[in-house]
Amino acid sequence: MKALRFHAAKDLRIEDIAQPAEPAADEVVIANRFVGICGTDLHEYAYGPIFVPKNAEGQTAAPQVLGHEYGGTVTKVGAGVTHVKVGDRVSVQPFITPRAGDYYVDRGHFNLSDAMQLAGLSWIGGGMAQASLLKGYNVYKVPENLTDEDAALVEPTAVAVYGVDRGGVKAGDSVLVTGAGPIGLLTLLAARAAGAVQLFVSDPNATRLAIAKNIIPDVITINPREQNVGDVIRAATEGGVGCDVALECVGNTLALQACVDAVRKRGVVVQIGLHPGEAPINWFNVVYKDIDLRGSWAYTAQMWPRVMRLIASGQIPASKVVTKTVTLDTVIKDGFDALLDPAGTQLKILIDLQR
């Protein structure tokens, strides 16, 4: 079958590889349908291996099929799998972890297990191939009114919903999101679904701000190169105090600093984007303003049915962040390179594995 595999930084190859092995009792095989290109995939392409397993010399241990945002159709089912059957359309929750005997797993926090592997980064397969072998618990049957494209968007949407959960966003809140990339825009949509009524988004890319405005017409857009984020938000919020919750979706020091400045006293700042290193912030403000500063790592595995319902109901119209669909044959130039273009004209690109 055809697959895109990571060999080294700037070395992705379309290759013919073997079909997945026969599933064990607790496994399934799916024919992959659509897969999204994640920022993590881009970082592997540009600078990896990062999460891709390395050998003693720091090089890629073995070629890795990328892609962890995907869905497909079940083609084979292990004897012990009963919640899905051959022919079911499914969305993939890509964490592979122990089922017991791990401190965090035993408490239901599968995303926090140090033994976690991820389909498409550190597992035997992934979404950027025509088929993949997964554990039964990785696949969730999708509602009838959830499209195949939407099935591939459940994973990034879960990141956004979990971040909003971590921020405690509630009805009537004012919310700042820094970063108008796919996760940032999905986070805005998730905040709106949670009841936020005043939304702000900050990004230095005017094109992405325009896309955000097109998706959510009443969002207040801020270009931090031209405006002070905190000043804009204080001027627009009740009492001039700042927003209730600020969600940092970039992994950028200046964006985090803006969140700490813009949030009101006793507000909440949630770090969703991954920082490459240390990020200094004004700790006097954190203490003086009585701020809650929280991390948000991925999502909980149990969120899949809820997130699928949010998308299928239209409360989170995730497909609005998709700006392009490409084929596996053209994905390096038309997908990865297009997303790395500093112009930032593309947001979320899906790969159609049946074209």
Side-chain angles (χ1 to χ4, degrees), residues 18 37 56 71 74 221 230 240 248 251 263 289 308 312 339 343:
I37 303 173
V74 176
T221 59
E248 207 291 277
V263 77
K289 293 170 69 175
M308 289 193 295
L339 287 169

Side-chain angles (χ1 to χ4, degrees), residues 54-98:
K54 298 180 279 289
N55 59 24
E57 289 73 40
Q59 300 168 330
T60 310
Q64 173 68 52
V65 176
L66 293 181
H68 58 275
E69 303 177 353
Y70 69 111
T73 302
V74 176
T75 59
K76 296 180 182 180
V77 177
V81 176
T82 59
H83 68 290
V84 294
K85 64 183 185 303
V86 172
D88 283 347
R89 294 187 307 120
V90 295
S91 177
V92 174
Q93 181 282 112
F95 292 163
I96 295 96
T97 62

